[in-house]
Amino acid sequence: MFYQTVRPYQKNNYLFENPDKHYVFSTGYAQMRPLVDSRFLLCLVQNNNFVKVVLDNCTGTSYPAINANDLAEIMVYVPRNEYEQKQIGTFFRSLDNLITLHQRKVALLQNIKKACLEKMFA
């Protein structure tokens, strides 16, 4: 997983799921090799409480940043059961996908509404 170390409040983190492909990331990212389920870890680092701890350890004001060593020192709690980690990660991924689908549907309906209003009052 790649964690955005510069302006981490933006939560532009990336789960690297295709190990056969080559990717290039900015130096503003730290590579994390989890000892837990990777989807669970992504949910954990996207959590506002984790981001707050990261921001508390950042330096700089315009572009707050944390270095990889300080990031590695942040303690987190995870379920010991790998199956539970996978279930939590899968649940939140499904929830994220559902939210994305609904956001697309709302955008589409807003476009339809706009078009109908333009036709009504044109």
Side-chain angles (χ1 to χ4, degrees):
M1 188 179 86
F2 290 92
Y3 186 82
Q4 181 180 3
T5 57
V6 177
R7 293 185 282 182
Y9 54 84
Q10 293 178 333
K11 300 181 184 179
N12 290 326
N13 305 310
Y14 181 76
L15 180 58
F16 189 71
E17 293 185 294
N18 298 322
D20 295 337
K21 299 197 178 194
H22 300 285
Y23 293 90
V24 175
F25 278 82
S26 161
T27 55
Y29 286 84
Q31 183 178 1
M32 301 174 95
R33 294 185 181 123
L35 300 174
V36 297
D37 181 73
S38 56
R39 289 184 184 153
F40 175 82
L41 180 64
L42 181 63
C43 293
L44 191 136
V45 301
Q46 296 287 89
N47 182 291
N48 288 334
N49 292 330
F50 183 83
V51 173
K52 183 186 178 322
V53 172
V54 170
L55 289 172
D56 289 344
N57 288 283
C58 282
T59 57
T61 53
S62 297
Y63 294 96
I66 186 168
N67 69 47
N69 292 331
D70 291 339
L71 183 62
E73 294 297 318
I74 296 175
M75 298 293 291
V76 294
Y77 296 99
V78 298
R80 290 184 183 178
N81 185 322
E82 286 184 39
Y83 177 74
E84 187 176 351
Q85 294 171 16
K86 284 185 184 293
Q87 292 294 350
I88 291 169
T90 300
F91 172 76
F92 281 109
R93 183 180 184 116
S94 297
L95 194 58
D96 286 342
N97 290 340
L98 186 61
I99 289 169
T100 300
L101 288 174
H102 283 287
Q103 287 172 333
R104 288 180 187 157
K105 185 176 181 179
V106 166
L108 177 66
L109 291 172
Q110 287 172 337
N111 287 339
I112 291 171
K113 177 185 172 185
K114 181 181 175 185
C116 288
L117 287 172
E118 286 176 3
K119 282 188 175 188
M120 272 178 40
F121 297 110

